[in-house]
């Protein structure tokens, strides 16, 4: 038996039910003092729920918690802080108009007049230095990048005396370099005797940063393993419950004529600020052009400008040689452009319509679906049944409201509808975000098949592994500009990361 007093965290028999789902089912989870322990699992596996219970944000229906060997009752975030537990959430909770130092002391039980802000700033600077957390204590939150805001959340937790730090999917918003920097910080924290729980669904980073790994699947613990004694393949199998193929079989591409040509494009974001600056690129038939970048650098605006959903302030867009700049979405679609939006439920599908109805949203004006202004019911259901089968959409039936389908099946439904319209160009934004490994594989395979059938694809993604394995070339967007376009076979993660952070690639005398 292991000496249980060496556990910083011990959770036993934790069960948490939400309406219709058991998010945590009798979970046993133990983290040793001074280790980095990864909590790995697919979307919906129950990771966040388990850690919110530890942080006092949820109460478990059943189960016991021990902190540092002592039975603990964590009924509120306040209790968690008193026990030395700090959690950094996926969405930060900082006050935009306050300074770094003000945010860090916010909510502390210290009367304001006692506070010596200069002293606080000095202490923060010392902590920042100790843990390699580069920040300016006097800066205001709105001036900071997402990576900096995350460092402030960490400082805030440390300043409040957290010895156990829980980070929920911290690298989702970071460039590869920032992620590396974060890992250094985590390592220096455990070297000082802190304990870290690191939530992730990314196998590579879990393998590189964690001492031990607990895999959750469907609300249950699959296993706890030593990182040095496992492999990506093993972890993937535990996470998904079956063998996983990492490489989507990808053929050599055979690029044809240019399908999309963008020249000097400018566009504004929703706040009326410049979101795209002089963007030029091309996509060929039979080619996937990946677009990399930290979210919020113009990706969404680029996709919307192409498909006619956002006005273009300057520049030109041509599809198969024909100008489509500032045309309506309908006109752009009629030129053979399909759109797989990031937001499946808002703009991809009408959730209150049935599967069959959603599948004809694009072709309801054409025969055989519509003849002489009448919708043909048999043709509609035949069409729907065929697509549901061909694209392996799991649905009780074609009359089912789409609202009831899972994320992966919603995405397959959108792809079925878009690909069956035989588009010349597909603009695909974060197509696998939030999907489980199985659905991700299926979606990637469908996109590659579309490419091999001669379609051009603009693939916007925040997952570099996805871009490297899917794309033929990769363009990097930073603050609305293209920092560079590279062949994906020659692309290196470090080089892409530098461009994502705004550093132009080194001149190699090319072009
Ligand atoms: N506040 C909530 N209300 C209802 N259901 C929830 C809530 N939070 C999570 N769930 C559900 O619990 C399950 C586990 O979710 P979560 O812990 O967020 O998983 P993970 O963090 O591993 O992606 C999911 O099915 C999710 O939909
Ligand atoms: Mg989560």
């Amino acid at each position: 038996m292991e000496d249980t007093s060496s556990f910083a965290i011990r959770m036993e028999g934790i069960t948490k039910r939400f309406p219709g789902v058991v998010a945590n089912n009798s979970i046993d989870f133990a983290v040793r003092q001074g280790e980095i322990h990864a909590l790995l699992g697919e979307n919906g596996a129950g990771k966040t729920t388990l850690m919110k219970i530890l942080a006092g944000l949820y109460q478990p229906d059943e189960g016991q918690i021990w902190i540092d060997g002592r039975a603990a009752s964590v009924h509120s975030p306040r209790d968690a802080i008193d026990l030395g537990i700090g959690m950094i959430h996926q969405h930060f909770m900082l006050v935009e108009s306050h300074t770094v130092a003000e945010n860090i002391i916010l909510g502390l039980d210290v009367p304001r007049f006692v506070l010596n802000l200069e002293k606080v700033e000095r202490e923060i600077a010392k902590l920042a230095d100790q843990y390699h957390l580069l920040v300016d204590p006097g800066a205001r939150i709105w001036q900071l990048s997402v990576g900096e805001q995350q460092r402030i959340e960490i400082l805030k937790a440390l300043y409040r005396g957290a010895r156990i730090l829980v980070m929920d999917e911290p690298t989702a918003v970071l460039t590869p370099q920032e992620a590396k920097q974060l890992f250094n910080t985590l390592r220096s924290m455990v070297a000082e005797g802190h304990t870290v729980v690191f939530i992730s669904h990314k196998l590579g980073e879990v393998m590189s940063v964690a001492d031990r790994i607990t895999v959750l699947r469907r609300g249950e613990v699959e296993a706890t393993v030593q990182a040095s004694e496992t492999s990506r393949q093993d972890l993937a199998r535990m996470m998904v419950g079956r063998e996983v193929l990492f490489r989507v079989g990808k053929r050599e591409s055979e690029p044809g004529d240019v399908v999309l040509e963008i020249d000097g494009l400018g566009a504004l974001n929703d706040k009326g600020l410049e979101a795209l600056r002089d963007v030029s690129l091309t996509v060929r038939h039979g080619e996937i052009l990946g677009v990399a970048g930290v979210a919020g650098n113009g990706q969404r605006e680029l996709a919307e400008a192409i498909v006619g959903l956002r006005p273009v302030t300057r520049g030109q867009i041509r599809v198969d040689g024909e100008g489509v700049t500032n045309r309506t979405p309908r006109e752009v679609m009629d030129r053979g452009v399909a759109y797989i939006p990031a937001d499946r439920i808002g703009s991809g599908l009408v959730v209150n319509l049935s599967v069959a109805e959603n599948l004809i949203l694009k072709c309801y004006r054409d025969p055989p679906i519509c003849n002489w202004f009448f919708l043909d019911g048999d043709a509609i259901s035949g069409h729907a049944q065929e697509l549901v089968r061909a694209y392996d959409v799991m649905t009780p039936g074609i009359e089912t409201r789409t609202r009831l389908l899972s994320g992966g099946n919603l995405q397959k439904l959108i792809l079925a509808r878009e690909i069956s319209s035989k588009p010349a160009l597909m603009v695909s934004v974060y197509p696998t975000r939030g999907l489980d490994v199985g659905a991700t594989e299926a979606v990637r395979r469908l996109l590659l098949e579309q490419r091999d059938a001669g379609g051009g694809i603009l693939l916007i993604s925040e997952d570099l592994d996805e871009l490297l394995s899917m794309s033929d070339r990769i363009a990097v967007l930073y603050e609305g500009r293209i920092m560079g376009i590279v062949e994906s076979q020659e692309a290196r993660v470090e080089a892409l990361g530098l461009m994502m952070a705004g550093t132009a690639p080194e001149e190699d005398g090319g072009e």
Side-chain angles (χ1 to χ4, degrees):
M1 265 309 284
E2 194 161 6
D3 173 15
T4 53
S5 62
S6 65
F7 287 127
I9 306 168
R10 219 174 109 216
M11 302 177 82
E12 217 173 83
I14 301 285
T15 293
K16 177 70 184 173
R17 301 182 194 91
F18 290 116
V21 57
V22 185
N24 289 167
N25 189 4
S26 193
I27 288 188
D28 295 336
F29 179 64
V31 178
R32 289 184 192 134
Q33 174 74 48
E35 74 172 343
I36 300 182
H37 195 118
L39 194 52
L40 178 73
E42 296 196 299
N43 258 293
K47 308 180 294 293
T48 299
T49 300
L50 186 68
M51 287 301 103
K52 281 190 171 170
I53 289 171
L54 184 72
L57 291 160
Y58 291 152
Q59 293 307 303
D61 296 314
E62 290 157 34
Q64 286 283 334
I65 301 174
W66 289 264
I67 300 297
D68 298 325
R70 274 191 295 279
S73 49
V74 198
H75 292 304
S76 68
R78 183 79 249 170
D79 289 347
I81 293 170
D82 291 343
L83 287 161
I85 300 164
M87 181 163 176
I88 317 283
H89 298 274
Q90 271 172 298
H91 304 286
F92 305 144
M93 300 173 175
L94 300 169
V95 182
E96 294 256 308
S97 55
H98 283 29
T99 65
V100 169
E102 285 165 345
N103 263 281
I104 289 175
I105 55 176
L106 201 73
L108 286 180
D109 293 332
V110 183
R112 251 201 110 84
F113 59 85
V114 184
L115 264 176
N116 176 344
L117 210 57
E118 267 175 41
K119 179 159 161 280
V120 174
E121 287 190 10
R122 271 201 308 279
E123 284 166 8
I124 293 169
K126 190 161 153 262
L127 277 173
D129 192 47
Q130 184 176 4
Y131 296 109
H132 317 294
L133 292 158
L134 263 179
V135 294
D136 167 8
R140 291 184 190 276
I141 299 302
W142 61 267
Q143 298 170 314
L144 304 180
S145 73
V146 183
E148 286 169 306
Q149 293 188 29
Q150 185 179 70
R151 297 201 279 276
I152 289 150
E153 289 279 11
I154 297 174
L155 279 172
K156 185 167 148 188
L158 291 172
Y159 188 79
R160 289 165 180 215
R163 288 163 301 104
I164 297 171
L165 192 76
V166 179
M167 301 205 71
D168 196 352
E169 311 237 9
T171 61
V173 295
L174 303 180
T175 66
Q177 279 83 353
E178 286 174 315
K180 245 188 190 162
Q181 213 178 14
L182 170 68
F183 296 162
N184 283 337
T185 294
L186 298 185
R187 288 197 191 94
S188 56
M189 285 174 51
V190 293
E192 298 277 331
H194 289 72
T195 301
V196 174
V197 179
F198 180 86
I199 301 181
S200 176
H201 64 264
K202 297 182 190 163
L203 301 169
E205 65 183 31
V206 160
M207 286 291 281
S208 75
V209 75
D211 299 305
R212 293 197 306 150
I213 302 161
T214 292
V215 184
L216 289 190
R217 176 151 58 94
R218 296 186 181 179
E220 299 186 3
V221 172
E222 195 56 29
T224 295
V225 294
Q226 200 79 33
S228 55
E229 290 167 8
T230 188
S231 66
R232 282 174 60 125
Q233 197 71 40
D234 284 346
L235 290 174
R237 188 169 26 71
M238 290 187 260
M239 223 166 104
V240 187
R242 61 179 174 76
E243 283 302 322
V244 178
L245 302 170
F246 276 108
R247 291 269 145 216
V248 259
K250 183 172 142 194
R251 285 201 268 140
E252 194 70 7
S253 68
E254 292 165 20
D257 293 339
V258 170
V259 53
L260 174 69
E261 193 179 353
I262 294 179
D263 194 20
L265 200 69
L268 305 179
N269 65 16
D270 292 343
K271 293 180 183 159
L273 304 172
E274 233 183 342
L276 296 177
R277 306 158 200 246
D278 198 20
V279 169
S280 300
L281 55 82
T282 57
V283 180
R284 295 180 170 276
H285 281 276
E287 179 191 51
I288 298 181
L289 178 75
V291 177
V294 175
N297 277 282
Q299 291 92 325
R300 183 172 134 222
E301 289 82 2
L302 176 61
E304 289 177 352
I306 296 170
V307 301
L309 286 167
R310 181 172 296 272
V312 165
T313 50
R314 58 177 296 265
Q316 296 292 324
I317 306 171
R318 279 181 289 275
V319 171
D320 278 331
E322 306 235 17
V324 297
T325 322
N326 284 329
R327 294 296 167 79
T328 66
R330 181 87 221 179
E331 287 169 321
V332 177
M333 191 175 102
D334 286 345
R335 288 264 168 260
V337 178
Y339 180 37
I340 314 290
D343 143 33
R344 264 155 237 159
I345 292 179
S347 41
L349 294 165
V350 182
V351 289
N352 286 323
L353 292 182
S354 70
V355 167
E357 286 162 333
N358 268 288
L359 283 170
I360 61 158
L361 279 182
K362 280 187 83 173
C363 58
Y364 63 93
R365 299 187 310 181
D366 312 322
I369 301 297
C370 179
N371 291 304
W372 301 101
F373 308 108
F374 295 104
L375 292 176
D376 179 337
D378 288 345
I380 293 172
S381 57
H383 174 74
Q385 241 129 24
E386 198 182 303
L387 289 179
V388 162
R389 201 172 329 110
Y391 289 86
D392 194 26
V393 180
M394 309 280 196
T395 170
I398 58 168
E399 297 308 325
T400 304
R401 306 286 107 181
T402 42
R403 144 162 51 84
L404 300 171
L405 302 192
S406 73
N409 285 300
L410 290 174
Q411 192 67 313
K412 283 193 254 178
L413 194 65
I414 296 176
L415 281 164
R417 182 183 71 207
E418 298 300 321
I419 293 177
S420 65
S421 72
K422 301 205 167 58
L425 174 74
M426 231 155 81
V427 177
S428 189
V429 188
Y430 307 130
T432 61
R433 180 150 78 185
L435 303 190
D436 63 36
V437 177
T440 297
E441 237 179 272
V443 165
R444 290 182 183 167
R445 194 163 343 101
L446 288 173
L447 291 174
L448 282 172
E449 282 169 15
Q450 171 66 11
R451 179 200 77 164
D452 291 342
I457 296 174
L458 185 83
L459 172 64
I460 296 178
S461 175
E462 48 198 353
D463 179 344
L464 273 187
D465 288 337
E466 170 165 277
L467 288 170
L468 286 164
S469 71
M470 297 280 295
S471 317
D472 300 300
R473 292 181 300 138
I474 299 176
V476 182
L477 261 185
Y478 173 73
E479 293 192 341
R481 284 180 213 284
I482 302 276
M483 296 301 291
I485 301 182
V486 292
E487 298 284 330
S488 66
Q489 279 172 346
E490 292 157 19
R492 290 181 14 259
V493 174
E494 294 72 29
L496 291 173
L498 280 175
M499 287 192 263
M500 286 164 69
T503 310
E506 278 171 32
E507 293 291 334
D508 56 356
E511 280 300 314

